[in-house]
Amino acid sequence: MAAGASERRGAVDDGEAAGAAAGVADAASSAASAAAFETHRRPLVLLHGFGQHGDAWESAAGLLRAAGFDVRTPDLADLARRAAASGADAVSLDAVCRGVADEVRRIVDETGCRPVLVGYSLGGRIALETALRCGVAGAVDAVGAAVPLCAAAAPSRIFASSRAVASATAAPFAPLPLSALVLESAGLGPADDADRAQLRERNVAWGARARAEGVAAFMNWWEGLPLFASQRALPEAARARQRVGRLRNTPDGLAVQLEAWGQHHQADRASASAFLSAAAQAGFPVAYLVGALDAKYCAAAEAVRAAVPDARVRVVPGVGHNIHLEDPAAFAAELASFLETTGVSASPALP
């Protein structure tokens, strides 16, 4: 990536985010105008976390829509089922990645422009894995023109090196037409074979627990994990909405997300980092967002900063694992700032 673009992406301070926050707040205070929509109509595809549904993005998505963005919040299980209708195994990571890729291509066909793929936690891992398996078909430079980006990191070969899935899995995936990738509090895959085995054992045990205890009891335990400690300070109404969404799951549905979509099925961390680094260096915008109160994923963010120097890494103050739930305005501001800084906020048509 050219030095100027790298400097623009790296030299983002709190003032810029504050300016974006003001813009989001101004837009949210009134209905989005037609002019705003024309300026910021880049489609955003937001992928939810474990045990959630597309409407878990409601607050942040509302702010982004008010700012003029075209926001899509699909349910991952629905995408997997649609992919299964065309032959993929409905309860596999392969199926949900195919479903995400199909959704991206459907949006390109509908709108004529490449969407931004955004994923939180489980959704971030699936977004990353989909991009890694497919490669990215193009990037958008600082003035909004589409530029070619071949699979610089050879994603099919990278994925084939993973022991999680047979190398043949990567073959049906064609390059993905995206304009940017944004990961929120997302793991980058197992560090090594021992870590993969440990993750497999843990996820299988958690899946068995969901089936044995049922959704309500499992979620009582899940909500008590240290990872979500900061959410206990949320207003009761926000916690109640999240709880209602979680209780819409089934025990088998939760188990599938753990057993079939877990990190133990992902490509290894080194391969994912190499892919992100090559893509970002070639001009494809990559961002990693994390809450300052989330110690586990702050460490992951520092690893991204070291391995992917051309990515934008932001630590959002005052929040934990789920930034868009705990402070929707801050999340929307960070995302808008990233897209404006990298020149992908507006949506030129595909060449």
Side-chain angles (χ1 to χ4, degrees):
M1 183 170 60
S6 178
E7 289 166 5
R8 281 193 301 275
R9 190 169 304 168
V12 177
D13 59 17
D14 290 336
E16 178 186 310
V24 168
D26 289 344
S29 67
S30 61
S33 66
F37 188 81
E38 286 302 314
T39 303
H40 296 95
R41 62 188 182 92
R42 173 73 61 187
L44 309 178
V45 182
L46 311 182
L47 303 183
H48 61 79
F50 170 76
Q52 296 181 334
H53 307 275
D55 56 10
W57 289 99
E58 180 180 4
S59 296
L63 291 171
L64 291 164
R65 288 188 180 110
F69 289 96
D70 175 8
V71 182
R72 317 296 179 97
T73 59
D75 274 20
L76 290 169
D78 289 343
L79 297 183
R81 280 191 290 269
R82 290 176 201 163
S86 61
D89 179 357
V91 291
S92 67
L93 183 60
D94 183 72
V96 72
C97 288
R98 286 171 186 266
V100 170
D102 289 347
E103 179 71 358
V104 166
R105 295 188 177 97
R106 186 190 66 76
I107 291 170
V108 170
D109 289 342
E110 174 192 330
T111 66
C113 59
R114 298 178 175 91
V116 176
L117 188 58
V118 182
Y120 158 67
S121 198
L122 166 70
R125 293 192 286 102
I126 289 172
L128 171 59
E129 187 72 9
T130 303
L132 190 151
R133 292 185 180 204
C134 295
V136 283
V140 176
D141 65 18
V143 295
V147 296
L149 176 58
C150 296
S156 3
R157 289 197 297 278
I158 283 177
F159 188 77
S161 70
S162 168
R163 299 184 184 181
V165 183
S167 60
T169 305
F173 288 86
L176 200 61
L178 290 174
S179 62
L181 177 66
V182 179
L183 306 177
E184 176 191 356
S185 310
L188 301 187
D192 51 33
D193 287 348
D195 189 30
R196 188 182 299 282
Q198 186 175 26
L199 288 166
R200 180 183 295 108
E201 182 179 359
R202 183 202 70 179
N203 290 337
V204 168
W206 286 359
R209 180 172 189 156
R211 288 192 174 96
E213 296 184 356
V215 174
F218 180 86
M219 283 305 178
N220 288 342
W221 167 77
W222 181 259
E223 290 165 1
L225 292 175
L227 188 65
F228 305 116
S230 59
Q231 295 179 20
R232 290 162 207 155
L234 286 171
E236 177 61 30
R239 288 187 286 119
R241 283 194 300 272
Q242 178 169 245
R243 177 74 176 184
V244 167
R246 285 171 165 168
L247 294 182
R248 281 161 47 201
N249 289 282
T250 65
D252 281 343
L254 293 175
V256 164
Q257 292 181 45
L258 293 162
E259 297 164 353
W261 301 355
Q263 288 196 60
H264 60 288
H265 288 297
Q266 285 181 245
D268 61 86
R269 193 175 306 167
S271 295
S273 297
F275 167 71
L276 289 175
S277 181
Q281 188 174 21
F284 180 77
V286 173
Y288 191 97
L289 307 180
V290 66
L293 304 181
D294 182 358
K296 177 179 178 180
Y297 284 90
C298 279
E302 288 308 309
V304 172
R305 196 190 302 276
V308 191
D310 292 298
R312 172 164 170 168
V313 177
R314 292 287 288 166
V315 179
V316 181
V319 294
H321 189 61
N322 190 334
I323 305 165
H324 68 268
L325 170 69
E326 298 175 48
D327 193 341
F331 176 84
E334 289 290 351
L335 181 55
S337 172
F338 168 65
L339 298 179
E340 289 164 7
T341 301
T342 53
V344 300
S345 184
S347 57
L350 284 168

